[in-house]
Amino acid sequence: MTALPSADVVTRELRGKVLLVTLDHPPVNALSADVRRGLLDAIEAADADPAVEAVLIVGAGRNFIAGADIREFGKPPVPPSLPDVCNRIEACGKLVVAAIHGAALGGGLEIALSAHYRLAVDGAKLGLPEVQLGLLPGAGGTQRTPRLIGAQAALDLILSGRHASAKEALSLGLVDRLGASGDTLAEGLAYVHELLAGRAPVRRTRDATALSDRAASHAAVAAARTETAKKSRGLFSPLKIVDAVEAAIDQPFEDGLRLERTLFLQCLDSPQRAGLVHAFFAEREVLKAPETRDATPRALTTLGVVGGGTMGAGIAVAALDAGLPVTMIERDDASLARGRAHIEKVYDGLIAKGRLTAEKKAAIMARWSGSTSYDALADTDLVIEAVFEDMAVKQAVFAELDRVCKPGAVLATNTSYLDIDGIAASISRPADVIGLHFFSPANIMKLLEVVVPKQVSADVVATAFELAKKLRKTPVRAGVCDGFIGNRVLAVYRSAADAMMEDGASPYQIDAAVRAFGFAMGPFQVVDLAGGDIGWASRKRRAATRNPAARYVHIADRLCERGWFGQKTGRGFYLYEQGSRSGTPDPEVEAIIDAERERAGITPRSFSDEEIIRRYMAAMINEGANVVHEGIALRPLDVDVTFLYGYGFPRYRGGPMKYADTVGLPTVLADIREFAKEDPLFWQASPLLVDLVERGADFASLNRSA
Ligand code: 3HC
Ligand code: NAI
């Protein structure tokens, strides 16, 4: 975002008695220093000018104001501060009105709350999403919002960070008026004139009385505190939000603002804020793959899916949900019926929970068609293959697609590991072939690895990003290799976890340590959820090509040999009582582990949780560095987004590479070199990591320079 002189970013124009103040700071009117200065000057000017009777604040472009300028966080503050600007607006002796369209978020809503009257037009989004950045509203939001709409509604808005529509904002009392048309300026001016004509008084939100029932307000705070303590899982800012809102009930406005400022600065200084802000920008940066800048996507109105198993059905649901018609191909009628049943099961589940009606399901299913003949795909724009993970089967499917699909159709594979260059080279139109690696369950998981083979044309890659947008997935561009970004890195830290298990840590301790770090699940819980047989099959497939000198832990194989595949078989690393999805530790598994240790001649030793995390993360970071070094991931941030969206990495840590920067790359490298003393083959420091440490650089420097 380029900083323009304040004269340009905030303009003033006298329209009769009304000073029209327009923020024009693309792309989203964020409140950077120039904007704050311009706003302050405008209010000073209004107060000083006897010709001005009222001020109308509007935003140019698609939004009112998206909030504080997130890029300024962590940098030295530049006056005037946002709280000062808000206080000055509120103190203005002339009537101040905000007319809102698009986003009025965070500091944007705080500006609006400092105005004396508020109008919103259809399509406006009002909210205080600071919590999603590890913050709390820091410009009076925690004090003005509850005074205006009550403690409970304010806590709900601030703790969830959700956006309220114009209509909801009106019913909450957050705004006073809905604009009848979409013309914000005309609506705003008309409202100001109406207020002036009716001699409406200057009315300050700091004096609003929605907290007057103190007992009810305290009850709302107490309930929110209990709920937040239970749900906020290691997050720092949510409980601070509750504290700040509580202060609004009992303390004078100025004291409440002071407390809010103190708590805001604590949040601003926290590594969680840095992690969450990194995630915010990273998830936008991944959209800017080179091909999306240079090429135009192909038409994309119809989708084909080959295979109606776990993934094919999930992908079909994701596409149907996005409004796309889907044609499913299966190998026989029974499999096709199963594929359709998989899809219906998802919708029936939603109906059972009251989240979908039977009519809506029927309307969605009307977009689905199935066939056992590939000819049904003749007019399809994009086909995704999701058949068995077997090169010969996949190549046979692609030969059929090559035969029937129209010229220009995009031909995608959902393979997890297979060589997509090999698939592409097997047909007559390799430039149309791409990898679209969804994650299970494909209708829920947000990550989509867009795997870019050598011969693919740029507009096919751009089309894949377009598909991700339609399906509301977060796409990450990846290169072809065994496992792409995510599964390749996963294989390495899983090995580190297996080695720790054989050396003496129980899988239950490892899982608990990984959960305490912030992951939703530990690695062994993940195996049990996904099905141990999947990894077992791939280990068997690779057995012949495995480096015989590399350490191989047999424990998982021993469980699979017994048919213990995890949740679906009632036991894996954990025991699952009748249908239960939360497992309990299994003494028999521990006995198997003991036997394996003995067989391998290992005397078990104890691990602290801290050492478990050091090893687990060092393995993840080192392979992440390799993936960047080899160009499989464009930048470290692409690895971060992969893990945030596909592997449950705690968002407040920003992703593994951001976490590495937080810990310090020299520390990570020193760990790897220490671990290498026991197993030098496994713990080989990535050349990229070594290079960055030698240069005194970090992963963030690669994100900036890419
Ligand atoms: N500061 C700086 N840059 C911002 C920004 C902000 N508050 N909000 C968005 N941007 C940037 C994005 O990074 C992106 O930049 P790029 O083009 O270089 O990638 C550009 O603006 C456009 O953003 P989107 O791609 O997200 O555009 P959309 O139209 O999809 O969404 C939006 C617009 C709903 C406003 C969305 O950008 C958004 O949610 N922004 C963040 C809102 C927010 O969190 N506000 C609170 C900030 S904290 C605060 O206000 C503290 C205060 O209480 C003191
Ligand atoms: P699955 O076994 O559940 O489904 C495969 C389906 O393909 C079956 O319904 C089968 O009848 C059908 N099929 C097989 N040969 C076919 C042919 N020639 N023509 C038409 N249909 C055919 O397998 P799953 O788990 O859905 O995996 C599919 C692909 O997705 C694999 O490549 C896998 O590696 C990949 N994948 C799997 C993930 C998972 O978590 N299960 C995650 C990401 C990718």
Side-chain angles (χ1 to χ4, degrees):
M1 215 179 290
T2 37
L4 297 166
S6 63
D8 291 326
V9 294
V10 180
T11 57
R12 308 200 290 258
E13 184 193 342
L14 198 57
R15 296 261 186 127
K17 302 169 193 163
V18 181
L19 185 69
L20 174 64
V21 177
T22 307
L23 276 72
D24 189 0
H25 186 38
V28 291
N29 297 333
L31 293 158
S32 46
D34 283 343
V35 178
R36 298 196 299 272
R37 166 58 57 199
L39 263 172
L40 196 70
D41 290 349
I43 297 296
E44 299 283 358
D47 258 342
D49 186 348
V52 173
E53 287 187 16
V55 178
L56 175 65
I57 304 176
V58 297
R62 284 171 41 215
N63 300 292
F64 177 67
I65 305 169
D69 185 343
I70 300 171
R71 287 177 212 271
E72 283 184 356
F73 294 158
K75 297 188 184 147
V78 180
S81 75
L82 191 55
D84 286 348
V85 175
C86 287
N87 293 340
R88 185 65 190 84
I89 293 172
E90 188 169 60
C92 185
K94 313 284 169 71
L95 214 58
V96 183
V97 177
I100 298 167
H101 76 294
L105 299 174
L109 183 55
E110 289 173 303
I111 292 279
L113 292 175
S114 307
H116 306 140
Y117 294 87
R118 285 159 292 281
L119 169 142
V121 302
D122 208 23
K125 297 187 276 196
L126 297 91
L128 294 162
E130 286 87 345
V131 69
Q132 287 159 5
L133 301 173
L135 290 168
L136 48 83
T142 65
Q143 303 303 301
R144 291 194 179 90
T145 317
R147 282 179 166 81
L148 190 62
I149 65 173
Q152 187 156 352
L155 282 163
D156 165 54
L157 216 52
I158 305 174
L159 285 169
S160 69
R162 72 185 176 83
H163 301 170
S165 66
K167 222 163 140 191
E168 190 195 351
L170 181 71
S171 73
L172 287 172
L174 213 48
V175 300
D176 305 290
R177 173 72 66 101
L178 287 189
S181 75
D183 186 340
T184 321
L185 179 56
E187 294 288 343
L189 283 171
Y191 187 36
V192 176
H193 286 128
E194 189 187 314
L195 289 166
L196 287 175
R199 297 184 185 283
V202 163
R203 186 194 63 171
R204 300 192 167 95
T205 308
R206 57 180 289 163
D207 302 323
T209 55
L211 292 172
S212 54
D213 183 345
R214 295 191 32 200
S217 303
H218 275 297
V221 165
R225 184 169 280 128
T226 311
E227 179 77 3
T228 304
K230 243 191 309 177
K231 282 200 339 206
S232 63
R233 277 184 50 90
L235 282 174
F236 182 72
S237 81
L239 281 168
K240 306 283 171 203
I241 288 171
V242 180
D243 291 346
V245 171
E246 184 175 43
I249 306 171
D250 294 324
Q251 297 189 25
F253 184 70
E254 307 297 345
D255 292 354
L257 280 188
R258 253 191 301 280
L259 177 72
E260 177 192 82
R261 193 72 193 152
T262 305
L263 298 176
F264 179 80
L265 292 176
Q266 286 174 10
C267 293
L268 197 63
D269 278 345
S270 78
Q272 294 193 354
R273 190 274 306 158
L276 288 163
V277 167
H278 172 76
F280 176 87
F281 287 119
E283 68 198 13
R284 285 165 174 76
E285 283 305 309
V286 290
L287 305 175
K288 300 173 189 162
E291 295 86 353
T292 61
R293 282 193 287 253
D294 304 340
T296 312
R298 295 182 184 176
L300 180 51
T301 53
T302 52
L303 196 97
V305 177
V306 185
T310 309
M311 294 308 290
I315 294 166
V317 170
L320 291 168
D321 286 347
L324 286 168
V326 174
T327 305
M328 177 177 276
I329 304 293
E330 261 288 356
R331 43 188 175 155
D332 50 46
D333 289 334
S335 306
L336 187 60
R338 254 198 317 275
R340 184 184 168 115
H342 282 143
I343 295 174
E344 293 205 44
K345 198 171 152 199
V346 173
Y347 293 120
D348 290 340
L350 293 177
I351 292 174
K353 285 186 200 140
R355 285 165 50 196
L356 189 78
T357 62
E359 294 73 41
K360 285 235 170 79
K361 176 190 160 190
I364 293 170
M365 288 310 293
R367 290 198 288 276
W368 181 90
S369 61
S371 177
T372 53
S373 160
Y374 282 86
D375 295 331
L377 296 176
D379 290 327
T380 308
D381 293 326
L382 187 151
V383 181
I384 303 171
E385 163 281 308
V387 302
F388 301 136
E389 185 77 343
D390 180 302
M391 194 61 163
V393 177
K394 298 228 189 252
Q395 286 186 344
V397 168
F398 271 80
E400 286 297 297
L401 297 178
D402 198 8
R403 183 179 64 79
V404 301
C405 289
K406 66 183 179 188
V410 174
L411 309 180
T413 172
N414 181 47
T415 180
S416 307
Y417 296 100
L418 298 175
D419 175 18
I420 303 178
D421 286 320
I423 296 176
S426 73
I427 65 168
S428 73
R429 32 173 140 172
D432 296 333
V433 176
I434 192 162
L436 288 177
H437 186 222
F438 288 82
F439 288 71
S440 181
N443 54 316
I444 308 246
M445 294 294 288
K446 288 279 169 234
L447 180 63
L448 176 61
E449 277 181 304
V450 175
V451 191
V452 178
K454 280 195 207 80
Q455 299 190 58
V456 69
S457 78
D459 61 348
V460 169
V461 181
T463 313
F465 276 80
E466 189 62 24
L467 176 71
K469 195 168 164 192
K470 281 190 198 269
L471 303 187
R472 297 197 185 175
K473 303 282 181 208
T474 299
V476 174
R477 186 191 189 280
V480 175
C481 69
D482 192 349
F484 318 128
I485 299 176
N487 283 349
R488 171 167 160 180
V489 175
L490 165 75
V492 176
Y493 67 80
R494 262 299 313 275
S495 293
D498 283 347
M500 286 189 274
M501 173 166 64
E502 196 174 52
D503 285 341
S506 86
Y508 315 119
Q509 186 197 356
I510 295 171
D511 279 350
V514 168
R515 282 197 307 275
F517 179 82
F519 278 89
M521 276 194 257
F524 300 102
Q525 290 175 291
V526 172
V527 173
D528 277 4
L529 178 68
D533 50 329
I534 295 182
W536 192 33
S538 94
R539 289 195 296 279
K540 284 193 280 196
R541 221 176 15 241
R542 288 146 201 256
T545 52
R546 202 165 29 235
N547 180 353
R551 178 171 179 181
Y552 185 82
V553 176
H554 294 264
I555 296 166
D557 293 352
R558 295 289 103 89
L559 304 189
C560 289
E561 284 156 12
R562 290 169 167 78
W564 299 356
F565 296 151
Q567 290 191 16
K568 63 184 169 190
T569 57
R571 68 194 301 180
F573 282 96
Y574 293 79
L575 266 177
Y576 300 88
E577 299 299 333
Q578 217 70 59
S580 158
R581 294 175 59 175
S582 58
T584 51
D586 183 347
E588 280 188 63
V589 168
E590 291 183 303
I592 293 168
I593 296 171
D594 277 339
E596 278 303 310
R597 287 172 183 152
E598 215 174 301
R599 197 187 57 78
I602 290 167
T603 311
R605 70 174 180 93
S606 66
F607 284 79
S608 67
D609 290 355
E610 190 243 331
E611 183 179 0
I612 289 172
I613 293 301
R614 270 172 57 207
R615 285 174 179 266
Y616 198 71
M617 288 310 303
M620 197 182 298
I621 293 161
N622 198 48
E623 194 60 9
N626 282 331
V627 154
V628 176
H629 184 60
E630 291 171 25
I632 299 299
L634 286 174
R635 301 147 296 193
L637 68 84
D638 296 83
V639 180
D640 285 336
V641 173
T642 301
F643 278 85
L644 294 176
Y645 283 91
Y647 297 82
F649 195 95
R651 188 175 167 89
Y652 63 81
R653 295 189 190 275
M657 313 314 267
K658 171 70 186 172
Y659 174 74
D661 279 352
T662 311
V663 173
L665 300 193
T667 306
V668 177
L669 183 59
D671 275 352
I672 291 170
R673 289 185 168 150
E674 183 196 323
F675 306 149
K677 289 178 191 153
E678 296 157 21
D679 186 350
L681 192 59
F682 181 79
W683 291 104
Q684 295 183 46
S686 165
L688 177 62
L689 184 60
V690 173
D691 175 57
L692 289 172
V693 170
E694 278 170 3
R695 293 194 284 118
D698 58 9
F699 288 125
S701 65
L702 302 178
N703 291 332
R704 284 192 293 270
S705 63

